[in-house]
Structures are given as C-alpha cells and as structure tokens.
C-alpha cells in the first residue's frame, strides 16, 4: 500500500493549492504537465515524498517546487506553503523592447503616420 511519508501526486497538488480540485490535478498529471524528479508523472496515483522536486507547467508559468512534507488537508494558503519550497526561476519580463528593434523615427505623441511618412520610412529601411 502507500508507504509512510508518501502521498498521491493529485492529492499533494490539491493540498498545496497548486490547483483548485483533485480532478484538475489528475487532468494536469495525465496531460504530462507534471514531472517528479525530471520524470513525467504518468498517473494521478504516482507517489511523492519529502525531497522530491516537482516541475509543474501551469498557464504558461513553470513552477519548480521541492516537496517538504505530505499534506493532511487542504488548509489555508499559509499552511499550504509549508508543504513545499519554491525554487522557480524568475519570470521573464513581458513587453520589453526587442534589442534589435529599430527606434521610432517620429517624435512620440505626434499622431498616426501619414502614407507619405510610411513610404519614407520604408525607403530608409530598404537602403540599409
């Protein structure tokens, strides 16, 4: 049966508040979005224990959590944070300028470019 200090991955994800329900946790695991120590978790019944490192892909974010303890219940967020250590990489900044982007040739706030201005910009870019 279940070994001492081990818990099903779907239960653990639910108790740690990574997902809202156990059924969503099971779907996440079956979809291949959860890895236990770099190995894909195949079933919701796969077991985790303290010391395992989970890599979870959620809505474009990658969470890397080290399991510290097995959960007993789905409690408040403060209690859930005691189940894992967050080792996730820093999020990449969004909306930053592309380093090779061509700077605007017009002054900021001067309105939408006219057809003539667009053609002149195109000619300048082609001449390079």
């Amino acid at each position: 049966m279940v070994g001492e200090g081990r818990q099903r991955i779907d239960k653990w994800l639910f108790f740690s508040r990574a997902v809202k329900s156990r059924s969503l946790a099971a779907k996440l695991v079956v979809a291949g979005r959860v890895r236990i120590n770099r190995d894909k978790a195949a079933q919701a019944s796969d077991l985790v224990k303290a010391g395992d490192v989970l890599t979870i892909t959620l809505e474009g974010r990658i969470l890397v959590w080290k399991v510290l303890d097995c959960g007993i219940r789905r409690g408040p967020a403060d209690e859930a944070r005691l189940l894992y250590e967050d080792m996730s990489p820093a999020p990449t900044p969004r909306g930053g300028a592309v380093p090779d982007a061509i700077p605007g040739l017009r002054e900021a706030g001067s309105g939408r470019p006219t057809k003539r201005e667009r053609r002149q910009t195109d000619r300048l870019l082609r001449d390079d």
Side-chain angles (χ1 to χ4, degrees):
M1 291 301 224
V2 176
E4 188 65 31
R6 292 180 162 262
Q7 188 170 43
R8 288 174 55 113
I9 184 71
D10 61 338
K11 268 185 146 178
W12 191 90
L13 289 170
F14 176 61
F15 291 160
S16 68
R17 294 182 160 262
V19 291
K20 290 185 177 184
S21 68
R22 269 187 71 186
S23 60
L24 287 176
K27 288 178 185 176
L28 192 70
V29 172
V30 171
R33 296 182 174 268
V34 178
R35 291 179 176 263
I36 303 171
N37 298 327
R38 295 187 178 178
D39 297 324
K40 275 190 183 176
Q43 301 174 349
S45 62
D46 288 349
L47 301 176
V48 293
K49 63 183 182 310
D52 285 346
V53 177
L54 303 178
T55 306
I56 308 161
T57 306
L58 281 177
E59 301 171 2
R61 296 180 302 154
I62 297 176
L63 304 173
V64 181
W65 288 354
K66 182 177 182 181
V67 178
L68 298 178
D69 197 10
C70 293
I72 299 169
R73 67 185 185 110
R74 182 177 169 96
D78 294 334
E79 186 179 311
R81 275 190 225 105
L82 299 175
L83 299 179
Y84 62 88
E85 174 187 345
D86 192 1
M87 301 171 20
S88 302
T92 57
R94 292 185 180 215
V98 179
D100 295 334
I102 300 170
L105 300 175
R106 299 164 17 88
E107 294 180 17
S110 62
R112 186 175 174 161
T114 63
K115 190 172 187 177
R116 177 179 287 173
E117 290 172 336
R118 287 194 312 267
R119 286 181 180 162
Q120 288 173 350
T121 304
D122 289 343
R123 280 191 209 119
L124 289 175
L125 294 177
R126 276 187 266 144
D127 290 340
D128 289 343

